[in-house]
């Protein structure tokens, strides 16, 4: 079944279940960088807002063998879980005082999101835009979020600067930053991958006398394997800046005096390379080479290794420790 037919069938299944008690709507949703996702909205009578449930993932599961009936039931359970979590009511979202402590900021590309920026409040920053969202963690669907729109500001009777003021407090407080060396990050990734491979190989082991290893033993074994693979030659010092959740961590460049403090730690200026919307790569100026070469590298990585929705920019930025400002390189 083609995707569009699938969405219509799911919509009809939801309509049959809810009857006249809810309006079922299929809606395209503009995401970052012009990516469009297809969602279904279940809006019960007298409910102010309703979550959007994206259907692409459900379609992939259907193609892999799940029945349409199972798919519809999963969507219903997902929706009803959110309703129970919120006492069946999302009226709290009407009042800014009830949401302001969970409003955060993130960075997106201004040029790639011109249409989206017409609908949402934002503050320009270099070639980027600071935008805002309400964190629904524990409220709706795990790590889901509600992108703040101009209509929300109108409803709340507030403006972008008031929202920004709250986000400046909330974002660093609840999404603290961390700076790790590239070597540390790569080790973490390698250890996780190797542990998974070790677990898989053990599960596939047919011998009855195979003794399962503890989590601690698996971790130590993986780290020993990584240590053996480490290159001994000196490499360009590179650092990865993100938050502890590794989600929308590129916005950490906005945190107070973070960039200035890092330049003092290096005793040097440094370049900032946008790895994705989730992280930035920092390279001391003394080791960075030409800005044009860095830009080419960023562009190539974005084209070949980063999902379209997660691309932040093809630009490269430079932190000047004399002016204490980040600028386009």
């Amino acid at each position: 079944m083609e995707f569009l037919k699938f969405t219509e069938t799911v919509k009809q299944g939801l309509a049959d279940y809810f009857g006249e008690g809810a309006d079922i709507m299929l809606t395209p949703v503009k995401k970052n960088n012009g990516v469009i996702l297809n969602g279904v909205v279940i809006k019960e009578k007298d409910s102010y807002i309703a979550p959007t449930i994206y259907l692409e993932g459900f379609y992939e599961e259907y193609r892999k063998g799940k029945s349409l009936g199972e798919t519809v039931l999963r969507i219903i359970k997902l929706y009803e879980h959110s309703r129970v979590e919120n006492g069946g009511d999302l009226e709290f979202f009407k009042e800014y005082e009830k949401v302001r402590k969970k409003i955060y900021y993130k960075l997106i590309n201004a040029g790639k999101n011109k249409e989206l920026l017409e609908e949402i409040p934002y503050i320009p920053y270099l070639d980027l835009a600071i935008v805002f969202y309400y964190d629904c963690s524990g409220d709706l669907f795990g790590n889901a979020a509600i992108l703040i729109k101009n209509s929300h500001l109108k409803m709340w009777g507030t403006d972008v600067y008031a929202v920004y003021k709250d986000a400046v407090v909330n974002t660093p407080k609840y999404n603290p930053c961390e700076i790790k060396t590239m070597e540390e990050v790569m080790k973490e990734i390698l250890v996780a991958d190797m542990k998974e491979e070790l677990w898989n190989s053990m599960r596939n082991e047919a011998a009855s006398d195979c003794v399962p290893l503890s989590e601690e033993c698996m971790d130590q074994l993986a780290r020993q394997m990584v240590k053996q693979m480490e290159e001994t030659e000196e490499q360009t010092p590179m650092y990865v800046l993100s938050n502890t959740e590794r989600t929308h961590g590129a916005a950490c460049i906005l945190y107070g005096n973070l960039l200035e403090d890092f330049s003092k730690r290096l005793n040097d200026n440094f370049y900032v390379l946008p790895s994705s919307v989730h992280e930035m790569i920092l390279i001391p100026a003394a080791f960075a080479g030409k800005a044009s070469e860095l830009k080419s590298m960023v562009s190539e990585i974005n084209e070949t290794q980063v999902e379209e929705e997660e691309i932040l920019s093809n630009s490269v930025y430079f932190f000047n420790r004399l002016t204490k400002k980040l600028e386009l390189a």
Side-chain angles (χ1 to χ4, degrees), residues 107-108 110 117 121-131 160-161 254:
L107 286 171
I108 64 173
L117 292 177
Y122 70 96
I123 294 177
Y125 182 75
L126 301 172
D127 64 330
L128 309 173
I130 305 170
V131 301
V160 64
Y161 300 106
L254 304 173

Side-chain angles (χ1 to χ4, degrees), residues 121 159 256:
D159 58 34

Side-chain angles (χ1 to χ4, degrees), residues 89-308:
D89 192 354
L90 294 174
E91 290 293 307
F92 76 94
F93 202 71
K94 281 185 175 180
E95 300 179 36
Y96 186 63
E97 284 301 316
K98 293 183 178 181
V99 301
R100 64 186 303 176
K101 291 184 178 181
K102 296 189 72 176
I103 287 181
Y104 303 85
Y105 59 58
K106 62 181 180 179
L107 286 171
I108 64 173
N109 187 279
K112 288 177 174 285
N113 291 282
K114 289 182 179 180
E115 290 187 12
L116 178 62
L117 292 177
E118 292 178 0
E119 303 174 6
I120 63 175
Y122 70 96
I123 294 177
Y125 182 75
L126 301 172
D127 64 330
L128 309 173
I130 305 170
V131 301
F132 309 93
Y133 63 96
Y134 174 82
D135 179 21
C136 298
S137 298
D139 290 343
L140 295 173
F141 305 118
N143 293 323
I146 298 174
L147 185 64
I148 303 303
K149 298 186 175 182
N150 294 328
S151 57
H152 294 135
L153 296 192
K154 184 177 181 181
M155 174 181 67
W156 293 330
T158 189
D159 58 34
V160 64
Y161 300 106
V163 172
Y164 176 69
K165 183 178 179 180
D166 284 324
V168 165
V169 174
N170 299 335
T171 312
K173 181 178 180 180
Y174 297 107
N175 289 326
C177 75
E178 61 179 17
I179 299 177
K180 294 186 176 182
T181 65
M182 181 65 75
E183 183 181 16
E184 289 173 325
V185 173
M186 294 307 297
K187 282 182 181 179
E188 290 177 1
I189 295 172
L190 284 171
V191 167
D193 289 346
M194 287 184 176
K195 285 174 68 175
E196 184 177 356
E197 289 181 11
L198 287 168
W199 278 116
N200 289 336
S201 64
M202 287 180 61
R203 281 198 295 265
N204 295 331
E205 191 60 57
S208 59
D209 59 348
C210 178
V211 179
L213 296 176
S214 67
E215 178 74 17
E216 182 179 357
C217 288
M218 295 289 286
D219 185 71
Q220 290 178 356
L221 181 58
R223 291 183 185 279
Q224 288 175 5
M225 293 172 66
V226 168
K227 188 175 182 179
Q228 292 173 0
M229 295 171 58
E230 286 179 358
E231 296 180 355
T232 57
E233 63 187 56
E234 187 175 347
Q235 297 180 352
T236 300
M238 300 173 71
Y239 302 83
V240 179
L241 168 64
S242 187
N243 55 40
T244 52
E245 297 297 321
R246 299 287 175 89
T247 301
H248 304 307
C252 289
I253 61 173
L254 304 173
Y255 287 11
N257 297 323
L258 184 144
L259 298 182
E260 181 183 352
D261 291 343
F262 187 67
S263 70
K264 292 178 180 178
R265 170 180 163 184
L266 294 177
N267 194 28
D268 196 1
N269 303 318
F270 59 91
Y271 287 92
V272 178
L273 281 57
S275 176
S276 73
V277 295
H278 303 303
E279 60 188 22
M280 294 287 203
I281 295 175
L282 314 179
I283 305 178
F287 298 89
K290 297 179 180 179
S292 58
E293 294 174 348
L294 296 176
K295 290 178 185 178
S296 296
M297 181 177 70
V298 170
S299 296
E300 182 179 353
I301 292 174
N302 282 339
E303 289 179 10
T304 60
Q305 300 182 36
V306 185
E307 295 289 337
E308 180 64 31

Side-chain angles (χ1 to χ4, degrees), residues 11-29:
K11 176 184 176 183
Q12 186 57 54
L14 294 171
D16 292 341
Y17 177 85
F18 286 97
E20 296 183 358
D23 294 324
I24 312 298
M25 298 165 283
L26 294 174
T27 178
V29 180

